[in-house]
Amino acid sequence: MKIRNILITLVSAIALLISASTISFAKVVGDKIILGAAVSLTGKYSSNGVHTQNGYNLAVERINSMGGVKVGGKTYKFDIIYYDDESNSGRAAQLAERLIQQDGVQFMLGPYSSGLTKAMAPVTEKYQVPMVEANGASRSLFTKGYKYLFAVLAPANLYLDVAIDLAVEKNGGKPVKIAMAFEQDAFSQDVRLGIVEAAKRTKSKIIIDDKLPKELNDMAATLSKVKATNPDVLVVSGHTKGALTAVRQISEMKVDVKMLAMTHCDAAKLSKQHGKASEYALCASQWHKSLSYTDNFFKDGMTYDADFTKAFGYAPPYQAAESSAALLVFKDAFERAQSFDTKKVRDALAATDMQTFYGNIKFAAGGQNVSKPMVLFQVSCNDDGSKCENKVVAPTKWASAELVHPIPSWSKR
């Protein structure tokens, strides 16, 4: 399975487009539907950028091997032109222009992160190029009136608000004290707004409201405040690097907190670097393999997990799963539109109402998925910390374990 080779260079793409000059739709070359993608293969988002690319590639291989995309009585296969956006928003916008203006791409897959999606969205909107994105959750993306942007994931403000509800529940229904630290990117700031709204709703008090440093490498100042004030819950959002920094320094400084809630804290990655110190972290996730959603391509989450692991040598984080789901959405829209006209495909995307292994997908007028709730899992480790796993604790419908609360103090761990 040559999944890693699903990449067309600029030279070959131009050659293909020239050879297809008689085709009425330049973005379809022979029997291939050419999609464009700028993803972070270098820079601070490179870890999740690779997950994004792997998720896209696995879905392309699977769809192509199972009959492809059927439009107008013909069968087509997906292919993708990739560029590295270097985790830079300016570069992402330039590459969107390049993909559309030079490479002739008229259907786009999203980048990794809300910030880079926000940089690319005005470009795809200007050229009326449909973009299905899987990793930009900032709610500000969905208030601009964009008509060609569609996101398969739940918006960022919903990531961790349920953690505040859980903390209040565990406090006997009484308001709680909240400490929080956030990266200054669009995604994390929307997560913060969700916490602020949850605090107001539950009459809870935010006692620490800090900014993480740009490089996400030190939050000792925040943790010193946590030790001094003893909040009921600590909320951190700084993508994967921020989560790793939080776990490392909480362990080093022996910070006791009843609940630690974070984004981007996959158990495998945390335990690989920090072992048992990562245990009990409560993590927001768009997806978990144990959920009961199904489709005809990946069957269910457990099968997707096994297939992805076999292909890439590691278990899929949700960033990979949602990226694969984006391709399933595009296939469904092309086949319902029975056309490669961008406006007809856009209309078909807007009417999407489907279930995938990743979850239900239905778009609101702003382009956000309104049909799939977030899940929370807690990191659970074996005795020596050599193996940790994600156990779903909320929503209760899908819970595979009971929430461990409060987190045991370091003196008892």
Side-chain angles (χ1 to χ4, degrees):
M1 184 164 60
K2 299 180 179 179
I3 294 176
R4 297 183 187 276
N5 295 328
I6 304 173
L7 188 152
I8 303 175
T9 64
L10 175 61
V11 173
S12 62
I14 292 174
L16 284 169
L17 290 173
I18 292 172
S19 69
S21 58
T22 59
I23 297 176
S24 59
F25 296 102
K27 62 277 186 180
V28 176
V29 180
D31 67 345
K32 291 184 178 180
I33 302 169
I34 309 298
L35 306 175
V39 294
S40 301
L41 302 180
T42 59
K44 69 178 182 178
Y45 296 143
S46 59
S47 176
N48 284 321
V50 170
H51 299 329
T52 299
Q53 184 181 49
N54 288 345
Y56 288 155
N57 287 348
L58 184 64
V60 166
E61 187 280 333
R62 182 59 52 85
I63 292 168
N64 289 350
S65 69
M66 291 183 65
V69 182
K70 294 177 173 57
V71 177
K74 296 181 180 180
T75 298
Y76 298 84
K77 293 184 176 182
F78 281 128
D79 216 336
I80 303 175
I81 302 175
Y82 283 114
Y83 290 118
D84 177 12
D85 61 34
E86 303 167 16
S87 303
N88 181 284
S89 58
R91 182 66 175 151
Q94 290 173 354
L95 291 174
E97 288 273 359
R98 179 176 181 174
L99 283 161
I100 296 168
Q101 291 291 83
Q102 296 184 32
D103 296 336
V105 166
Q106 294 193 27
F107 303 108
M108 197 81 76
L109 293 166
Y112 174 76
S113 88
S114 293
L116 301 188
T117 306
K118 288 178 76 172
M120 289 180 64
V123 180
T124 53
E125 195 72 16
K126 177 175 71 173
Y127 293 109
Q128 297 185 342
V129 169
M131 177 165 66
V132 179
E133 61 100 349
N135 290 282
S138 172
R139 66 177 176 181
S140 60
L141 283 164
F142 314 119
T143 59
K144 305 284 189 184
Y146 292 142
K147 300 298 184 185
Y148 286 80
L149 174 71
F150 301 91
V152 302
L153 70 176
N157 56 299
L158 300 182
Y159 266 57
L160 285 173
D161 62 340
V162 68
I164 305 304
D165 293 329
L166 277 176
V168 170
E169 178 185 330
K170 293 297 181 180
N171 197 40
K174 299 176 183 177
V176 295
K177 294 184 296 180
I178 303 167
M180 56 189 193
F182 292 91
E183 186 180 358
Q184 296 307 290
D185 67 308
F187 166 81
S188 295
Q189 288 305 297
D190 275 351
V191 177
R192 179 188 174 277
L193 287 175
I195 299 300
V196 170
E197 290 169 355
K200 290 179 180 177
R201 186 181 71 249
T202 60
K203 297 182 171 56
S204 295
K205 185 177 182 181
I206 297 171
I207 60 173
I208 299 172
D209 186 3
D210 282 359
K211 299 176 181 178
L212 290 174
K214 186 175 181 180
E215 295 306 316
L216 308 175
N217 57 0
D218 183 17
M219 58 177 298
T222 296
L223 294 178
S224 294
K225 296 178 191 176
V226 171
K227 292 186 78 169
T229 57
N230 191 31
D232 296 293
V233 57
L234 169 61
V235 180
V236 179
S237 181
H239 293 266
T240 300
K241 188 174 181 180
L244 290 168
T245 297
V247 169
R248 174 177 59 82
Q249 291 193 308
I250 288 171
S251 173
E252 291 172 349
M253 296 173 64
K254 296 295 184 284
V255 178
D256 288 329
V257 63
K258 296 175 184 176
M259 179 183 288
L260 170 64
M262 301 192 293
T263 63
H264 301 83
C265 50
D266 178 70
K269 185 174 288 291
L270 291 180
S271 62
K272 184 176 180 180
Q273 294 201 25
H274 302 306
K276 201 168 175 63
S278 60
E279 191 166 29
Y280 307 116
L282 190 62
C283 306
S285 183
Q286 291 279 352
W287 171 82
H288 189 267
K289 64 183 180 181
S290 65
L291 303 182
S292 57
Y293 302 115
T294 62
D295 64 40
N296 293 327
F297 292 90
F298 293 105
K299 187 178 177 182
D300 53 29
M302 298 299 288
T303 305
Y304 179 87
D305 178 84
D307 292 347
F308 187 97
T309 302
K310 181 179 179 180
F312 299 107
Y314 67 97
Y318 73 78
Q319 290 86 358
E322 60 198 12
S323 298
S324 292
L327 270 299
L328 298 180
V329 168
F330 252 138
K331 170 184 163 59
D332 176 71
F334 281 127
E335 293 187 338
R336 283 187 292 106
Q338 283 298 297
S339 172
F340 296 118
D341 178 82
T342 54
K343 291 185 179 180
K344 290 181 179 178
V345 173
R346 189 229 80 90
D347 290 345
L349 286 167
T352 296
D353 189 357
M354 64 187 294
Q355 182 170 116
T356 71
F357 77 96
Y358 164 74
N360 295 324
I361 300 174
K362 183 176 182 178
F363 301 118
Q368 71 273 41
N369 184 4
V370 292
S371 192
K372 187 192 72 62
M374 295 291 297
V375 297
L376 289 177
F377 60 75
Q378 192 166 42
V379 179
S380 177
C381 303
N382 60 6
D383 290 341
D384 63 3
S386 60
K387 182 179 180 181
C388 297
E389 60 181 333
N390 305 327
K391 291 191 174 180
V392 177
V393 294
T396 334
K397 176 182 178 181
W398 292 303
S400 60
E402 188 175 345
L403 175 70
V404 176
H405 183 275
I407 295 175
S409 64
W410 286 103
S411 63
K412 295 179 181 178
R413 292 171 68 174

